[in-house]
Amino acid sequence: HVQLVESGGGSVQEGTSLTLSCAPPGIPYCRDCMAWFRQAPGKEREGVAAIDPDGTTRYADSVKGRFTIPHDGAKNLLFLRMETLKPEDTAKYYCAADPRLVTATFWEADYGYWGQGTQVTVS
């Protein structure tokens, strides 16, 4: 069973930056077919950032201007660069991917591969 592997979470202070990374070992060719989701306590999981094979990116309104989704195509690594973090960014962050992805989407059913999540706490 293929799992994505997230890393980079932790506890940080408000206003600081943090970068999460996601490695998709073993997934069939999957360039620019990934997204980040997050789930805060007591809330549903929501899409944060996504990128599709055309290089088009999509961001949730709550993170626009603060989060970016750099992609290391050579290593097929995906990052979530988070700046000016706020307490409301506190959540468990999940990486998702699918080689069939056509467009950057926050529709969870479009992603067949998920990571276990990494916790980000902002205080």
Side-chain angles (χ1 to χ4, degrees):
H1 179 65
V2 174
Q3 285 278 5
L4 305 182
V5 181
E6 304 106 334
S7 61
S11 297
V12 297
Q13 292 188 334
E14 183 176 4
T16 59
S17 301
L18 195 65
T19 298
L20 306 181
S21 63
C22 174
I27 294 180
Y29 184 70
C30 183
R31 177 182 174 83
D32 294 330
C33 67
M34 303 181 194
W36 288 95
F37 291 77
R38 69 183 181 186
Q39 187 168 21
K43 295 186 177 181
E44 292 187 356
R45 188 157 58 186
E46 62 176 355
V48 176
I51 186 168
D52 68 22
D54 290 332
T56 300
T57 55
R58 178 181 180 181
Y59 297 94
D61 289 343
S62 59
V63 305
K64 282 181 181 177
R66 299 189 298 121
F67 289 14
T68 54
I69 190 169
H71 188 209
D72 183 334
K75 299 180 180 179
N76 207 25
L77 293 173
L78 185 70
F79 303 94
L80 182 65
R81 175 66 178 169
M82 305 182 291
E83 299 180 345
T84 318
L85 282 162
K86 304 176 181 179
E88 50 264 44
D89 295 319
T90 295
K92 195 166 188 179
Y93 285 72
Y94 298 87
C95 177
D98 200 297
R100 299 166 298 178
L101 192 70
V102 174
T103 185
T105 174
F106 292 151
W107 187 246
E108 293 189 25
D110 284 343
Y111 298 93
Y113 301 90
W114 290 81
Q116 298 280 15
T118 184
Q119 179 67 35
V120 174
T121 303
V122 185
S123 59

